[in-house]
Amino acid sequence: MKKISILLLTFICLSCGDNSNDLTVKTHVKGLKKGTVYLKKVEDTTLVTVDSIVINGNSSFELHSKLESPEMFYIDLDKNSTEQDRIGFFADRGVTEINTTLKNFVYDAKIKGSKQQEVLEKYKALISKINNRDLDIIKEKFEAQIAKDTTKLLELQKEENSTIKRKYLYTVNFAIQNKDSEVAPFLALSEIYNARLDLLDTINKSLTPKVKDSKYGKELNDFIETIKSAEK
């Protein structure tokens, strides 16, 4: 009996050890009474559901996933929702807390969890000025086309090209400065994947061994090697 108890205790301890590697997403959506919430991530370029929960009156709930290395996850209120309608967050092992509202599901989202999420939010805050100017340029180009103002169009086109270069160079510098974060290769793959190969390679070579061995570190290296092979 004593041996059985010891074996049972060992099994419980091992089980607890396995669960400690899981991702738990504690979520509260103010105003959400009914519906299904989905936790998703990208696997082989496809967005797949890794967990879901049916809501019936309780706006606080948990979602879970296995996690080998830090990566991006997404929360959807609709199985077929668009990118603009889902909350994206960078998760690591442990607990991530998300508080938001049903009315402004994406824009009201407050995310607390991984160090990678903090780095990603820092990048988004600093790059938002460039992105906002991009939107203004698109609007001004449309107005110039209607007015048939070719001079204005040329000026805006030059500014647009300059803005794109600024975004690429800023992203490269940010990634290098955060070479010890899995956010660095993620940004290279998601924000500037069509940048010059030497820029992507610069980021890749700067990554720490731990980040190189992560999901996005491996994907970035494979992506660069594929481009190099195609250019031979």
Side-chain angles (χ1 to χ4, degrees), residues 25 27-29 37-40 47 61 72-77 81-90 96-102 104-111 117 121 124:
V25 187
T27 311
H28 177 77
V29 183
V37 182
Y38 302 87
L39 178 64
K40 301 178 180 180
L47 193 64
F61 51 90
M72 284 293 294
F73 282 80
Y74 305 88
I75 290 184
D76 282 347
L77 292 179
S81 63
T82 63
E83 183 179 353
Q84 291 74 22
D85 298 324
R86 64 176 62 106
I87 296 173
F89 60 99
F90 219 113
T96 290
E97 297 179 4
I98 299 177
N99 288 280
T100 187
T101 65
L102 180 61
N104 297 302
F105 183 64
V106 176
Y107 298 104
D108 284 348
K110 304 297 180 185
I111 304 168
Q117 177 62 27
E121 288 180 355
K124 287 182 176 179

Side-chain angles (χ1 to χ4, degrees), residues 189 204 212 216-226:
L189 290 164
N204 188 42
K212 275 183 176 291
Y216 297 124
K218 292 176 181 177
E219 288 183 1
L220 176 59
N221 188 71
D222 290 345
F223 181 65
I224 290 172
E225 291 303 317
T226 299

Side-chain angles (χ1 to χ4, degrees), residues 25-217:
V25 187
K26 294 184 177 181
T27 311
H28 177 77
V29 183
K30 183 179 179 181
L32 179 62
K33 300 300 181 183
K34 288 187 176 183
T36 303
V37 182
Y38 302 87
L39 178 64
K40 301 178 180 180
K41 69 174 184 177
V42 175
E43 289 185 356
D44 298 325
T45 71
T46 302
L47 193 64
V48 299
T49 298
V50 294
D51 195 14
S52 63
I53 185 170
V54 177
I55 306 301
N56 189 12
N58 189 357
S59 56
S60 295
F61 51 90
E62 290 186 5
L63 293 160
H64 305 271
S65 177
K66 288 292 183 181
L67 186 63
E68 293 184 5
S69 68
E71 64 179 296
M72 284 293 294
F73 282 80
Y74 305 88
I75 290 184
D76 282 347
L77 292 179
D78 185 329
K79 193 172 185 180
N80 300 311
S81 63
T82 63
E83 183 179 353
Q84 291 74 22
D85 298 324
R86 64 176 62 106
I87 296 173
F89 60 99
F90 219 113
D92 200 350
R93 292 182 178 89
V95 178
T96 290
E97 297 179 4
I98 299 177
N99 288 280
T100 187
T101 65
L102 180 61
K103 185 177 181 181
N104 297 302
F105 183 64
V106 176
Y107 298 104
D108 284 348
K110 304 297 180 185
I111 304 168
K112 181 182 178 182
S114 70
K115 293 180 179 179
Q116 292 84 357
Q117 177 62 27
E118 294 176 6
V119 173
L120 182 61
E121 288 180 355
K122 181 180 178 181
Y123 171 81
K124 287 182 176 179
L126 294 172
I127 205 72
S128 63
K129 292 180 180 180
I130 297 177
N131 289 336
N132 289 339
R133 182 53 191 153
D134 278 341
L135 294 175
D136 290 339
I137 290 174
I138 292 172
K139 179 183 177 182
E140 291 175 23
K141 283 178 68 177
F142 178 73
E143 293 171 347
Q145 286 174 340
I146 294 177
K148 296 182 179 180
D149 189 340
T150 55
T151 302
K152 183 66 173 177
L153 274 173
L154 287 173
E155 291 176 355
L156 289 169
Q157 187 61 56
K158 288 181 180 179
E159 184 180 356
E160 185 176 48
N161 293 337
S162 176
T163 301
I164 292 173
K165 289 179 181 178
R166 280 178 58 210
K167 179 178 179 180
Y168 282 7
L169 292 175
Y170 174 78
T171 303
V172 170
N173 289 332
F174 185 90
I176 293 173
Q177 290 171 9
N178 293 276
K179 60 187 178 182
D180 58 343
S181 172
E182 289 79 4
V183 175
F186 171 76
L187 291 177
L189 290 164
S190 62
E191 298 294 320
I192 57 170
Y193 60 89
N194 55 351
R196 296 198 321 262
L197 180 60
D198 63 308
L199 295 179
L200 296 176
D201 212 16
T202 298
I203 294 174
N204 188 42
K205 291 176 179 177
S206 74
L207 301 178
T208 62
K210 175 178 173 291
V211 175
K212 275 183 176 291
D213 197 44
S214 69
K215 173 184 173 68
Y216 297 124

